[in-house]
Amino acid sequence: CLSLLGLARDLNFFFEFKNNLNIYEGQLKDFNFDFINHEPNACPEINFLYLEIENEVNSYKDYLESYFLDLPNNKVNFFTDISNYVSYELGQPTHCYDFSSIQGTLELKKIDKKKDFITLQDEKITIDEDDLVFSINDEIVNLAGIMGGRGTRCNDKTTKILLECAHFRPNEILGKSTKYGLNSDASHKFERFVDPAIQELAIKRFIKIVEEHADIKEIKLYKNSNTKHSERIIEFNPSKINSILGTRLDDKKIIKILNNLFFDTIENKVRVPSFRNDILNENDIAEEIARV
């Protein structure tokens, strides 16, 4: 529920969910990007989008402006603002690098000795060995899943970006923002699990928002995936659900609740949606019925 999308899905039993987000519908060319993922178990899914616009952007559409006025939030720069907004809408954190600052092979790895790092908030910290980072020429440019670095951050003049969109295992991120004293919305989400199947939607939504504010000169996408999204199937018996809860709900009511929470019911099986990693057994299914 750390996004508008998550809230809308969770309240779908009471209010009809409208899947009405505008996303980019065009084809994305392949991006031949120099990247090495040394830690596929920690980050099994990562995409990089190259995007270039014609000119700087000086004003925002009403829906984007209201994100800063109504909540309120602070503006940073055009690309970072959209990144933050997409995270707010969809729950998928992304990170924007100024592409002109990427000089060399970008590597995701766990460092083997302590290293200094200056964050995009101009804070100097020392990162411990075995923590997950992005680096270029052995220099840290991003504390993975938590915060980017000063040397590669975007600014108001940036017209070419590299957008990082990743899925990190929660245990790789857990506690790191507290450890380093960093206030990070991205880590708050990654620690609690981000849907591994939402990256394509997040990227296309990002492009669409850029497209609504600027003329796009070029876009292309690099994909790095080390896993297939496995489905979680749980045995389903409505009478067992009633027994757990002490209720007498009919089968149709139980199935309707689950379907409205985006669980698929097939005979005596329930298919769990990719964004619900907390659902592991029939007791968890019963809890979903109970809370509705």
Side-chain angles (χ1 to χ4, degrees):
C1 291
L2 297 178
S3 67
L4 297 184
L5 175 62
L7 288 170
R9 289 186 301 212
D10 213 48
L11 295 171
N12 186 52
F13 184 82
F14 308 101
F15 309 99
E16 182 183 351
F17 172 68
K18 295 180 175 64
N19 190 11
N20 57 358
L21 275 180
N22 291 322
I23 63 172
Y24 178 72
E25 300 289 358
Q27 294 293 316
L28 292 171
K29 295 187 296 184
D30 289 339
F31 179 29
N32 186 20
F33 179 56
D34 194 5
F35 171 69
I36 303 173
N37 185 355
H38 296 284
E39 298 292 337
N41 290 326
C43 178
E45 186 85 24
I46 187 166
N47 295 280
F48 292 99
L49 178 77
Y50 172 83
L51 189 148
E52 180 181 358
I53 59 175
E54 293 282 1
N55 301 301
E56 299 165 27
V57 176
N58 298 312
S59 62
Y60 292 167
K61 300 289 185 182
D62 288 348
Y63 70 89
L64 187 55
E65 189 68 38
S66 68
Y67 169 70
F68 299 98
L69 294 177
D70 295 345
L71 290 180
N73 289 303
N74 294 323
K75 292 180 180 178
V76 183
N77 58 68
F78 175 60
F79 290 111
T80 302
D81 289 347
I82 295 178
S83 173
N84 291 337
Y85 182 76
V86 169
S87 179
Y88 166 72
E89 274 195 333
L90 302 180
Q92 170 67 58
T94 56
H95 179 70
C96 297
Y97 303 84
D98 187 315
F99 188 74
S100 62
S101 67
I102 306 294
Q103 303 293 328
T105 302
L106 183 66
E107 299 181 65
L108 177 63
K109 63 183 181 180
K110 292 184 178 181
I111 55 176
D112 55 10
K113 62 181 179 180
K114 291 186 176 184
K115 286 183 175 290
D116 290 338
F117 171 57
I118 301 178
T119 74
L120 52 77
Q121 295 177 343
D122 293 322
E123 297 174 277
K124 184 177 180 180
I125 61 175
T126 301
I127 298 178
D128 289 337
E129 60 183 275
D130 209 37
D131 279 351
L132 192 66
V133 303
F134 290 92
S135 68
I136 299 174
N137 300 324
D138 211 31
E139 180 180 345
I140 297 172
V141 297
N142 189 343
L143 181 54
I146 299 168
M147 188 171 291
R150 182 175 69 181
T152 57
R153 67 186 174 191
C154 298
N155 57 57
D156 291 332
K157 303 294 183 183
T158 299
T159 57
K160 300 178 184 179
I161 64 151
L162 180 72
L163 179 77
E164 167 208 317
C165 189
H167 174 75
F168 298 105
R169 304 286 192 200
N171 63 327
E172 297 292 342
I173 309 301
L174 191 63
K176 297 296 195 315
S177 61
T178 301
K179 175 183 177 181
Y180 295 113
L182 301 174
N183 182 18
S184 169
D185 177 70
S187 67
H188 187 73
K189 290 182 168 72
F190 282 128
E191 285 177 348
R192 289 155 177 80
F193 181 83
V194 171
D195 181 3
I198 203 173
Q199 291 187 39
E200 182 179 354
L201 175 64
I203 289 168
K204 289 184 175 181
R205 179 60 176 155
F206 184 95
I207 297 170
K208 185 63 178 180
I209 297 173
V210 173
E211 190 178 51
E212 290 175 347
H213 289 83
D215 294 325
I216 296 178
K217 192 171 181 179
E218 186 176 13
I219 46 175
K220 46 191 177 180
L221 182 66
Y222 172 90
K223 295 183 178 182
N224 183 278
S225 178
N226 294 284
T227 185
K228 291 185 177 179
H229 307 304
S230 58
E231 294 181 337
R232 188 179 302 123
I233 307 294
I234 296 174
E235 294 292 327
F236 173 58
N237 183 336
S239 64
K240 178 71 178 298
I241 299 295
N242 275 316
S243 175
I244 292 169
L245 297 178
T247 53
R248 294 181 179 179
L249 298 170
D250 64 57
D251 292 6
K252 289 182 179 179
K253 179 67 176 291
I254 290 175
I255 290 170
K256 181 181 179 183
I257 290 174
L258 291 174
N259 290 164
N260 279 318
L261 291 173
F262 300 90
F263 292 80
D264 292 329
T265 51
I266 308 158
E267 296 179 350
N268 62 338
K269 306 283 185 182
V270 172
R271 180 184 293 119
V272 180
S274 61
F275 53 84
R276 293 300 304 271
N277 74 313
D278 56 320
I279 305 297
L280 303 174
N281 52 50
E282 206 163 22
N283 286 323
D284 295 329
I285 296 293
E287 185 178 326
E288 295 301 293
I289 306 300
R291 68 191 187 93
V292 169

